[in-house]
Amino acid sequence: MADAIKCPVCGENNPKEFEFCQYCQSRLQPLTGPLKGADAPIKPGSAPTKKTTADLEQVLPQWLRDARSSARDASEGDLPQTPQSKTSPRPPAPTPPRPSAPQDLLAGLRSQAEDEDEETPDWLANITGGTPGSKKSTDDSSDVRWVELGGAKDSANEADTPSWLQGLAPLEPQSAQQQDGLTDWMHDSDAAQQPAAESPDWLRQTPADDNDKSFTNSADTFTPADSSDTPDWLRQMQAADSATQNNAAPAADNAPDWLNSLDSQSNAAPITSDKPDWLRSLDVADSGSQNNDNLFGSAAPAASDTPDWLKSLGSPDNAAPAQSSDTPDWLGALDSADSSSQNNDALFGGAATPSASDTPDWLKSLGSQDNAVPAQSSDTPDWLGSLDSADSSSQNNDALFGSPATPSASDTPDWLKSLESTDSSSQNNDALFGSAATPFAADTPDWLKSLGSADSGVQSNAVPSASETPDWLQGLGSETPSAPVSALTSPADDDWLKGMQSGGSQSAQSDPLSEADMPSWLSDSSAPASPTPEIESDDAALGDVPDWLKAAAPQSSIYDDLPLAQQPAAPVESSDAPDWLNAFKSLDPAPPVQSQSSSTFDSDSSLGGSSDALFTDMPDWLSGSVENPAPSPASEPPAEGEIEASQLPSWVQAMRPVDTGVEQISASSSEQKQLEARGALAGLQGVLPAAPGYAPTSKPKTYSLKLQATDEQLSQAALLERILAAEASPVPIASFSTLRSSRVLRWSLAFVFFAVVFAILFLRTQIFSLPVGVPFEIDGALKAVQSIPDGAPVLVAFDYEPARVGEMEAAAAPMFDQMALRPPRFTFISTNANSSILAERFMITGPMADHYKNGLQYLNLGYLPGGQMGIRAFVQNPRAATPFDVTFTRAWDSTQLKDVNSFSNFAAFIIITDSADSARAWIEQTTFERGSMPVVVISSAQSAPMIQPYYDSGQIRGLVSGLYGGAIFEQNNAGRPGTARIYWDAYSIGMLIAALLIVGGGLWNLFLGSRDRAAATREVK
Amino acid sequence: MNISLDLISGALSFLFTLLIFSYAIGDNPLFRIGVYIFVGVSAGYIASVAFWQVLYPKLIYPLMNGSLIMFVPLLLAVLILMKVSPRLAGLGSIAMAFMVGVGAAVTIAGAVSGTLIPQVMGTINGFDINIAAARGVGLIEMIFNGAFILAGTIFSLSYFHFGARPHADGSMHRLGFIEIMAWVGRIFIGITLGAIFAGLYAAALTAFIERINSLINFIGSFL
């Protein structure tokens, strides 16, 4: 893609003439002049260099410059605004592809006007008739170089700028006073705002054209207006620019022919007549068809005043322009060559058919292109013609002479032969005079030989001699500005132009011998341009060349991004070329995007190389876009397996801090310049570690796995283990021995008891006396019974179990005997189902049998169900609760209960029970109903302790419990022996035996316990 | 030959007494036969008593005599019978609730009015000179008896006080004076239980004597 520039930032292809990327606004063309190399890509880890902000202003992308401009404008709002600033508002953001070249061009103007101390070159002043501008006094204290178009201070400093250049600033009205010092044709560059009378038309028209064009390049600003004052050569440039848009016929009246030829690149581009022809051709070359990469590729109709050698530069591609007869043929060929081929990018690759007979033969051949029919001039050396034909036959050749053409070596100048030989050794056919440049031999001046030998990118073996350099060309070195003037054209142009051509294709290595003979600017043109430092050194050596022309030295990055196969063969930094010619380099037309073939000069290398040789010392304003195509290290493709280091745009360079912190960082980064070998970051340099200083400094300490514990801790741990083990192990449960001994004991005790009781009962002994004393409860019971009136209704509750019949009858019989003396009316009731029948037994077959037989009456109400509820119901309403007796007779209709209607109607209430609960139930439920009725409880011995409190509380009048109570009570029956007495000896023996057994058992248990404890004590000891 | 009822009853009494006494040599079929007979006879007797002394005179007979109010106890009785069936047991809950409710109310009311308050008053009255004089008890004896009963009551109740606080060693102990009172109360409780045991023993001994006496009488009737 020789016609396109690959953006180093975004990777998009841009037209060749673009200075800034139309997509990301990054700079495509390297800087020149003092800023040369400032846009060099920054490698990660590289130490920043201290830059002056003003110098870096131009490096900034367009959008950033716009932003800065807006800020600056806002800050300077109090300053008087010039019409220019008002009429040129900046678009805020990067928008559609904008023509960057004009802005950069004006940036150069601005720098010229404000910051740079360069004055208008004398040669230019001579041309324009004005006075050389004096060094301006810089008002701006800062180092900022105002590069924006339409800046606020632009108008104030434009007095020092050549007027014809001031007009290049678009939309900036110029005052008449500011333009006085300039030639008229230069005023015309400001034609958009200025009257046509004050400035040349072609110059006036330039801003307007800039505004109209949506796709322009740096040369657009030279679009001249039709003005009679404009030099033809400059007018032609403007015409060529406008012809690109309108295809209008050029009107190149006053322009020199040689400049007209430059202007007429595309199809019949209009050319203003006031512009010098050589400048017109520049204009046309830059703004011509998009297929042209070359300055001279698309030639416009040449004016008659244009020097022939320059006319050829401006020859159109496809059309057959009216070539001026003054133009050297060889130059016309250059012009036509570029314009004839759509795919042609080469400098001399156009299909122009130079008709001039003055052109050297060898140069005519250069004009022959692929698609054009080469017009072989009779003057053209044969070797050059063969070159042309050879090139046209090859569609894919990159180099002009890289084709396998074999021109006759006899006519070829020696210097061109050397070029050919040099190129032939190269693998890529990028050089201008590549492999087929064998014809250079004897006819070529030595100095041109040297140029030809310095083929770019190829190790040149040729050592051209500069001894044969014409004087006029040497004079160009000292009078570079005047070089482009057509009037200086002489027949010797052939020679020095040959040198230019060859120099453009020379390699980066220049021959010192040739430089010695040549003017410095020209000798530099043959210097190799590949390494940037060398270029800078070369520029430094060019003291005789104006800086602004030096700045025009092409350093385009176009060449950086080209593949190796298409890389230019070390474009030459043609610093010694006439400055005005170097400026042409920036006017390269846009390359065709769809270009398929690349001839010798299609490639950027060929063009660049030749252009560099010509336009190294262009002023800054002309050096906008094209830069030295020296391949920078950053542009070199990474080795296989490595990751390409990222490149930072140069404007970032301006923002990189260079203070101590940065130095430290860079220092630290320099210490860590090891490439990352593994992982996703493999190939990157200076990768930050995961954690700074994290790397272990020593071998990690080994720790023993053995537990470090004290003896106490170990003993406790052992104890814990034992406890846990004891928990897990089964423990036999200590079971008591069986009742084997108890059975014997039981049998023994049973036998004793049976024997003693049976014997005592059987013997009817009365060994033991009855108890003498009468307890209070028994005494109370006795008194209560004795207090019962005769025939009074007495309620007797029989609530004991059949098993307790013997005890209960023995306890109750003495009382009933006592009562039988004054027989009451007994009414029996029972809350126990079995007790009702026991009442019958007590009265009929028991101790009261004799009394019953004697007419003792009683009423058995039977069973009273419901427990305490039944008692409560009976106490509340006896008639309703127990309407019938046990014989199912109405109880309350009997004589026993004839006067009893309620519970309180009973004279006494006797409770015979073996249960404390039963006694408590009767006592509790009869509390509020019994009144003063005496309650006597005859209880079993087992329940007596629980019933005793009721006596102590006074709730019952007396308590007779067990055989003991019956025995006492029996003693008060007038001495009648009763059941108690029968049982009393047995009972007493039994109680004694029990006491003895209890005491004996206690002592035996004590003995056993003492023995066991003693045994345990001995075991412990 | 006429066999007197007393002889039969005495013979059966003698037999079953021996069956029960056979337990002295351990659990044996004779003991079990005697127990089962007693249990069966008692159950039969209770059933007859329940019918003849409860259901018939207090439910059936009134119903037969036109007392419609007795349908309420009848319905409740039927509902209680539903307890036999697990599926219908819920129906008996109504009657059971009525019975439990009424029984609890009666029991609580009787306990409060017939035991709690009178016992408290009895403890207080232990120091009543008039009561002591009425009983013919002297002042010193009265004070001793009253103090003994009061101490026995307080100490026995203190024994059943289980409130405690944690100590420094983690153990739980009652307060010191409560611990002492509880220890004294334990003595009172021991004496009471000893007295109960003595009464139980006396009751059992009396029953044993009566049975031996009945045996002797039965045997003596044949002699």
Side-chain angles (χ1 to χ4, degrees):
Chain A
M1 298 297 292
D3 298 335
I5 303 175
K6 186 178 181 181
C7 177
V9 177
C10 64
E12 296 292 339
N13 290 327
N14 293 274
K16 185 177 179 180
E17 70 277 6
F18 274 25
E19 183 183 2
F20 296 96
C21 177
Q22 57 184 341
Y23 300 101
C24 64
Q25 300 300 319
S26 300
R27 174 172 288 277
L28 298 175
Q29 311 293 346
L31 295 175
T32 60
L35 295 176
K36 184 184 297 180
D39 62 340
I42 301 170
K43 289 286 186 177
S46 62
T49 58
K50 194 170 185 67
K51 299 285 186 182
T52 303
T53 308
D55 296 339
L56 295 171
E57 188 74 20
Q58 296 183 5
V59 184
L60 300 180
Q62 186 59 43
W63 61 270
L64 190 55
R65 280 198 266 176
D66 294 343
R68 291 169 59 84
S69 174
S70 300
R72 187 164 42 250
D73 291 344
S75 63
E76 296 175 357
D78 51 348
L79 296 177
Q81 298 293 330
T82 61
Q84 179 181 3
S85 62
K86 294 178 180 177
T87 55
S88 60
R90 286 290 174 185
T95 47
R98 295 185 53 186
S100 57
Q103 297 162 1
D104 197 61
L105 180 65
L106 290 178
L109 286 174
R110 175 63 55 84
S111 62
Q112 285 284 110
E114 293 182 1
D115 297 332
E116 301 296 342
D117 294 332
E118 295 175 359
E119 56 187 356
T120 305
D122 296 335
W123 63 272
L124 190 58
N126 294 333
I127 293 173
T128 57
T131 57
S134 60
K135 291 184 179 180
K136 70 176 184 64
S137 59
T138 303
D139 296 334
D140 192 1
S141 59
S142 65
D143 294 335
V144 175
R145 174 184 288 179
W146 302 113
V147 296
E148 294 81 3
L149 295 174
K153 299 178 180 179
D154 289 347
S155 59
N157 297 326
E158 284 185 352
D160 298 334
T161 308
S163 59
W164 64 276
L165 291 178
Q166 288 176 356
L168 294 179
L171 304 177
E172 185 174 0
Q174 295 290 333
S175 61
Q177 293 77 8
Q178 289 173 336
Q179 299 176 358
D180 289 341
L182 301 176
T183 57
D184 294 337
W185 62 271
M186 281 192 174
H187 286 295
D188 286 344
S189 62
D190 199 13
Q193 287 82 19
Q194 296 295 331
E198 296 294 334
S199 61
D201 294 336
W202 65 271
L203 205 55
R204 289 183 206 147
Q205 193 176 353
T206 302
D209 291 338
D210 287 339
N211 294 333
D212 295 335
K213 292 177 182 178
S214 59
F215 189 78
T216 60
N217 51 30
S218 61
D220 291 344
T221 54
F222 288 95
T223 303
D226 291 337
S227 173
S228 57
D229 298 334
T230 305
D232 293 339
W233 61 272
L234 200 55
R235 191 179 301 165
Q236 191 175 358
M237 291 179 61
Q238 184 178 7
D241 197 6
S242 60
T244 307
Q245 305 294 330
N246 303 326
N247 291 330
D253 296 335
N254 300 330
D257 294 338
W258 62 272
L259 196 56
N260 286 338
S261 64
L262 289 176
D263 252 339
S264 58
Q265 287 187 0
S266 56
N267 301 330
I271 299 175
T272 51
S273 58
D274 295 340
K275 192 166 51 176
D277 294 340
W278 63 271
L279 197 54
R280 287 184 198 166
S281 63
L282 287 178
D283 196 358
V284 171
D286 197 26
S287 61
S289 66
Q290 295 183 358
N291 297 331
N292 291 331
D293 295 335
N294 198 339
L295 171 66
F296 305 117
S298 59
S304 58
D305 297 338
T306 306
D308 294 338
W309 62 272
L310 273 180
K311 284 181 179 177
S312 62
L313 293 176
S315 61
D317 291 334
N318 300 324
Q323 292 292 341
S324 172
S325 58
D326 297 337
T327 305
D329 295 338
W330 60 271
L331 196 56
L334 288 177
D335 197 357
S336 61
D338 194 31
S339 61
S340 60
S341 174
Q342 291 183 355
N343 300 326
N344 201 0
D345 297 330
L347 173 63
F348 303 103
T353 306
S355 59
S357 58
D358 299 338
T359 306
D361 296 338
W362 64 271
L363 200 56
K364 286 179 179 177
S365 63
L366 291 177
S368 62
Q369 283 296 327
D370 299 340
N371 300 330
V373 177
Q376 293 292 341
S377 173
S378 58
D379 297 337
T380 306
D382 296 337
W383 61 270
L384 196 56
S386 63
L387 279 179
D388 197 0
S389 61
D391 188 65
S392 62
S393 62
S394 174
Q395 292 291 331
N396 298 326
N397 247 347
D398 293 334
L400 173 62
F401 302 104
S403 61
T406 309
S408 59
S410 59
D411 298 336
T412 305
D414 295 337
W415 61 271
L416 204 54
K417 287 181 180 178
S418 64
L419 287 178
E420 180 186 6
S421 62
T422 304
D423 264 337
S424 62
S425 62
S426 175
Q427 293 295 330
N428 51 1
N429 298 324
D430 295 332
L432 173 62
F433 304 100
S435 60
T438 52
F440 294 98
D443 297 343
T444 307
D446 293 338
W447 64 272
L448 278 179
K449 288 181 182 177
S450 62
L451 291 176
S453 63
D455 197 355
S456 60
V458 183
Q459 289 79 8
S460 175
N461 297 325
V463 183
S465 173
S467 60
E468 297 179 7
T469 305
D471 296 334
W472 67 270
L473 203 53
Q474 293 178 354
L476 281 178
S478 59
E479 298 177 2
T480 303
S482 62
V485 180
S486 60
L488 296 178
T489 305
S490 66
D493 289 344
D494 298 346
D495 295 335
W496 67 268
L497 278 176
K498 288 177 183 177
M500 286 195 301
Q501 292 178 357
S502 61
S505 61
Q506 282 176 349
S507 63
Q509 298 177 358
S510 61
D511 190 0
L513 296 177
S514 62
E515 293 178 3
D517 298 334
M518 287 189 303
S520 58
W521 61 273
L522 196 55
S523 63
D524 260 357
S525 66
S526 62
S530 51
T532 304
E534 294 179 5
I535 294 171
E536 293 177 353
S537 62
D538 291 341
D539 289 341
L542 302 176
D544 52 349
V545 180
D547 294 337
W548 63 273
L549 277 178
K550 290 179 184 178
Q555 298 176 357
S556 176
S557 60
I558 328 171
Y559 313 102
D560 298 341
D561 294 333
L562 288 176
L564 287 175
Q566 299 178 358
Q567 280 281 347
V572 177
E573 178 75 17
S574 56
S575 58
D576 278 350
D579 295 338
W580 58 271
L581 277 179
N582 279 340
F584 284 74
K585 183 169 177 24
S586 62
L587 305 177
D588 289 341
V593 179
Q594 299 291 336
S595 177
Q596 296 294 332
S597 64
S598 59
S599 62
T600 302
F601 298 100
D602 283 350
S603 66
D604 298 327
S605 62
S606 61
L607 175 58
S610 60
S611 300
D612 293 339
L614 296 174
F615 313 119
T616 302
D617 291 339
M618 291 180 69
D620 290 339
W621 57 272
L622 283 177
S623 66
S625 58
V626 181
E627 288 292 340
N628 193 344
S632 62
S635 64
E636 294 179 356
E640 188 174 357
E642 293 182 357
I643 299 176
E644 183 180 4
S646 60
Q647 296 180 358
L648 302 177
S650 56
W651 58 272
V652 179
Q653 174 73 16
M655 298 181 177
R656 299 186 66 192
V658 293
D659 296 335
T660 308
V662 177
E663 293 175 356
Q664 291 175 355
I665 295 174
S666 60
S668 61
S669 62
S670 62
E671 295 173 357
Q672 302 173 353
K673 285 188 177 297
Q674 294 181 354
L675 289 175
E676 191 73 12
R678 293 177 299 179
L681 301 178
L684 295 182
Q685 190 176 18
V687 176
L688 294 177
Y694 180 72
T697 56
S698 62
K699 185 179 180 181
K701 185 180 179 181
T702 58
Y703 294 95
S704 175
L705 296 178
K706 183 179 179 181
L707 182 63
Q708 296 180 355
T710 62
D711 296 339
E712 182 181 1
Q713 292 173 343
L714 290 176
S715 62
Q716 293 176 352
L719 177 61
L720 180 61
E721 289 180 357
R722 287 195 299 272
I723 293 174
L724 294 178
E727 291 290 336
S729 61
V731 177
I733 300 175
S735 59
F736 295 99
S737 59
T738 57
L739 298 177
R740 185 183 306 170
S741 58
S742 301
R743 181 178 298 178
V744 174
L745 179 61
R746 187 173 62 222
W747 287 354
S748 303
L749 294 176
F751 177 76
V752 171
F753 275 98
F754 269 102
V756 171
V757 171
F758 184 81
I760 293 174
L761 289 176
F762 183 77
L763 297 175
R764 299 293 176 174
T765 64
Q766 295 184 354
I767 303 172
F768 296 96
S769 63
L770 294 174
V772 178
V774 178
F776 292 106
E777 61 273 14
I778 295 175
D779 183 60
L782 181 59
K783 293 179 178 177
V785 171
Q786 294 175 351
S787 63
I788 294 174
D790 186 11
V794 175
L795 180 64
V796 180
F798 282 85
D799 283 334
Y800 54 92
E801 296 292 335
R804 305 293 179 184
V805 171
E807 182 189 12
M808 299 306 300
E809 289 179 354
M815 181 180 288
F816 277 87
D817 286 340
Q818 184 68 28
M819 287 189 293
L821 300 176
R822 295 179 304 274
R825 294 177 296 175
F826 291 109
T827 302
F828 302 148
I829 191 170
S830 174
T831 57
N832 189 339
N834 295 323
S835 298
S836 59
I837 194 65
L838 295 177
E840 294 293 331
R841 177 187 182 273
F842 179 79
M843 295 299 293
I844 297 172
T845 61
M848 300 301 294
D850 297 336
H851 297 285
Y852 176 75
K853 292 176 180 177
N854 298 324
L856 181 63
Q857 300 296 319
Y858 67 94
L859 178 64
N860 190 1
L861 296 177
Y863 171 65
L864 180 63
Q868 293 193 26
M869 292 183 292
I871 297 173
R872 184 67 180 173
F874 178 80
V875 171
Q876 290 180 347
N877 188 0
R879 290 177 176 271
T882 52
F884 300 97
D885 58 5
V886 292
T887 58
F888 195 62
T889 305
R890 293 191 177 275
W892 301 99
D893 295 339
S894 64
T895 55
Q896 303 294 330
L897 296 175
K898 58 180 179 183
D899 54 352
V900 176
N901 297 320
S902 64
F903 180 79
S904 60
N905 294 136
F906 290 102
F909 178 50
I910 300 172
I911 303 172
I912 305 172
T913 178
D914 61 348
S915 170
D917 294 336
S918 176
R920 183 169 54 85
W922 280 109
I923 297 170
E924 290 177 351
Q925 299 301 324
T926 60
T927 302
F928 300 103
E929 305 297 335
R930 61 176 181 263
S932 59
M933 180 179 60
V935 178
V936 178
V937 176
I938 303 171
S939 69
S940 168
Q942 63 181 2
S943 60
M946 276 77 75
I947 300 173
Q948 184 67 34
Y950 291 98
Y951 172 77
D952 295 334
S953 64
Q955 292 176 277
I956 58 176
R957 294 285 180 87
L959 175 60
V960 179
S961 59
L963 185 60
Y964 174 79
I968 294 174
F969 207 98
E970 194 176 61
Q971 294 178 24
N972 297 310
N973 288 339
R976 184 178 65 89
T979 306
R981 183 58 221 185
I982 299 170
Y983 297 163
W984 188 251
D985 283 354
Y987 178 83
S988 297
I989 295 298
M991 293 299 292
L992 181 60
I993 295 172
L996 293 175
L997 291 175
I998 292 174
V999 173
L1003 294 175
W1004 178 251
N1005 194 19
L1006 180 61
F1007 169 75
L1008 293 178
S1010 301
R1011 189 186 61 179
D1012 294 341
R1013 283 189 292 271
T1017 304
R1018 286 194 299 269
E1019 290 179 358
V1020 172
K1021 291 181 177 179
Chain B
M1 174 178 150
N2 293 327
I3 299 175
S4 104
L5 184 61
D6 293 338
L7 181 61
I8 297 174
S9 61
L12 293 175
S13 173
F14 178 81
L15 178 63
F16 281 102
T17 300
L18 293 178
L19 293 178
I20 298 300
F21 282 161
S22 66
Y23 187 76
I25 59 176
D27 193 6
N28 57 85
L30 297 176
F31 173 77
R32 293 188 180 183
I33 290 173
V35 171
Y36 294 159
I37 292 174
F38 280 122
V39 170
V41 171
S42 298
Y45 176 75
I46 292 173
S48 62
V49 170
F51 179 78
W52 290 108
Q53 296 183 16
V54 177
L55 293 178
Y56 183 78
K58 298 180 181 177
L59 178 63
I60 297 174
Y61 183 79
L63 288 175
M64 294 172 62
N65 293 330
S67 177
L68 299 179
I69 192 66
M70 300 310 295
F71 279 102
V72 175
L74 177 62
L75 177 60
L76 296 177
V78 172
L79 293 177
I80 288 179
L81 290 177
M82 298 296 119
K83 287 288 185 183
V84 176
S85 173
R87 191 166 55 93
L88 302 175
L91 298 176
S93 299
I94 299 175
M96 290 297 296
F98 177 76
M99 292 175 64
V100 170
V102 174
V106 172
T107 303
I108 291 174
V112 171
S113 60
T115 302
L116 185 61
I117 295 176
Q119 292 301 318
V120 172
M121 296 302 298
T123 304
I124 296 174
N125 293 332
F127 298 93
D128 191 349
I129 299 175
N130 298 327
I131 295 176
R135 290 182 180 179
V137 177
L139 180 61
I140 298 175
E141 184 181 2
M142 181 201 64
I143 296 174
F144 179 80
N145 288 337
F148 189 84
I149 292 173
L150 180 61
T153 303
I154 295 174
F155 293 155
S156 297
L157 293 177
S158 299
Y159 177 82
F160 294 99
H161 177 75
F162 300 107
R165 292 182 179 179
H167 285 208
D169 57 351
S171 61
M172 302 292 290
H173 294 285
R174 290 178 290 196
L175 295 177
F177 70 95
I178 294 179
E179 192 72 31
I180 297 172
M181 293 169 61
W183 185 82
V184 176
R186 188 166 54 183
I187 296 175
F188 280 95
I189 294 173
I191 294 172
T192 303
L193 294 179
I196 293 173
F197 177 76
L200 182 60
Y201 174 77
L205 180 59
T206 305
F208 175 71
I209 294 170
E210 189 271 334
R211 280 296 89 194
I212 297 299
N213 186 46
S214 66
L215 291 176
I216 294 172
N217 291 336
F218 179 75
I219 296 172
S221 64
F222 291 102
L223 297 177

